[in-house]
């Protein structure tokens, strides 16, 4: 599969991106993250979360049918997902490199990302791409459906010097 150029997402991409995110999250996290978090990671929750992230997101694929996306938030590679059909094509590496360049362009010297503890496939991918697992950290996820809206989660923290 030939990967397409990266582009800014459009509103017409949201449904397809939500499906990629939902499917990818299920594949990577369903068996390793707390069931009480999984209960709130619905297709609709991903769709709702995408809209405010579009300005910091890059996608590949036709409008309305993207193949994958990467979102940054400050110095963080915040989300990285590719469709099942695009896995193994090099798209994830291309999206990661683009995200790293966007983070560096904002003046950050080090980027970081959170990886679910036990997600060995993602861990190997990040290490192959030059990221270093620096330890375990507790992050606070914004999950409006839980009491207080915050869900603490232990993750593997990866960093990369840019």
């Amino acid at each position: 599969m030939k990967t397409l150029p990266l582009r800014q997402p459009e509103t017409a991409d949201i449904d397809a991106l939500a499906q990629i995110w939902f499917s990818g999250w299920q594949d990577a996290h369903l068996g390793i993250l707390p069931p009480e978090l999984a209960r709130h990671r619905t297709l609709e929750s991903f769709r709702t979360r995408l809209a405010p992230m579009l300005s910091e997101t890059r996608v590949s694929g036709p409008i309305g049918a993207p193949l994958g996306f990467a979102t940054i938030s400050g110095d963080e590679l915040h989300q990285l997902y590719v469709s099942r059909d695009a896995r193994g094509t090099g798209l994830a590496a291309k999206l990661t490199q683009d995200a790293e360049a966007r983070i560096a362009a904002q003046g950050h010297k080090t980027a970081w990302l959170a990886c679910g503890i036990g997600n060995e496939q993602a861990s190997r991918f990040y290490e192959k791409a030059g990221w270093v697992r620096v330890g375990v950290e507790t992050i606070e996820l914004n999950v409006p459906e839980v009491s207080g809206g915050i869900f603490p989660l232990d993750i593997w923290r990866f960093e990369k010097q840019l």
Side-chain angles (χ1 to χ4, degrees), residues 26-82:
Q26 297 290 314
D27 292 346
H29 301 111
L30 195 55
I32 61 172
L33 293 184
E36 56 271 24
L37 176 60
R39 180 173 42 254
H40 302 292
R41 292 304 194 222
T42 63
L43 180 59
E44 186 56 36
S45 77
F46 290 117
R47 186 179 290 114
T48 299
R49 292 169 60 202
L50 273 163
M53 296 172 23
L54 290 184
S55 66
E56 297 298 331
T57 300
R58 302 268 289 165
V59 302
S60 178
I63 295 171
L67 301 170
F69 71 99
T71 302
I72 63 171
S73 179
D75 61 349
E76 178 187 10
L77 172 50
H78 184 59
Q79 302 296 335
L80 173 67
Y81 286 90
V82 297

Side-chain angles (χ1 to χ4, degrees), residues 127-142:
E127 288 170 347
K128 183 178 177 185
W131 292 77
V132 176
R133 188 187 317 174
V134 297
V136 173
E137 177 177 313
T138 303
I139 59 172
E140 293 184 339
L141 300 177
N142 180 12

Side-chain angles (χ1 to χ4, degrees), residues 70-144:
T71 302
I72 63 171
S73 179
D75 61 349
E76 178 187 10
L77 172 50
H78 184 59
Q79 302 296 335
L80 173 67
Y81 286 90
V82 297
S83 68
R84 288 182 180 129
D85 292 341
R87 293 178 192 165
T89 65
L91 178 57
K94 185 176 181 179
L95 286 164
T96 301
Q97 291 164 359
D98 177 74
E100 292 167 5
R102 291 186 290 138
I103 292 168
Q106 293 179 0
H108 301 287
K109 304 293 184 211
T110 303
W112 76 279
L113 62 86
C115 181
I117 294 175
N119 190 345
E120 297 294 343
Q121 184 175 3
S123 179
R124 285 190 300 275
F125 169 80
Y126 294 129
E127 288 170 347
K128 183 178 177 185
W131 292 77
V132 176
R133 188 187 317 174
V134 297
V136 173
E137 177 177 313
T138 303
I139 59 172
E140 293 184 339
L141 300 177
N142 180 12
V143 182

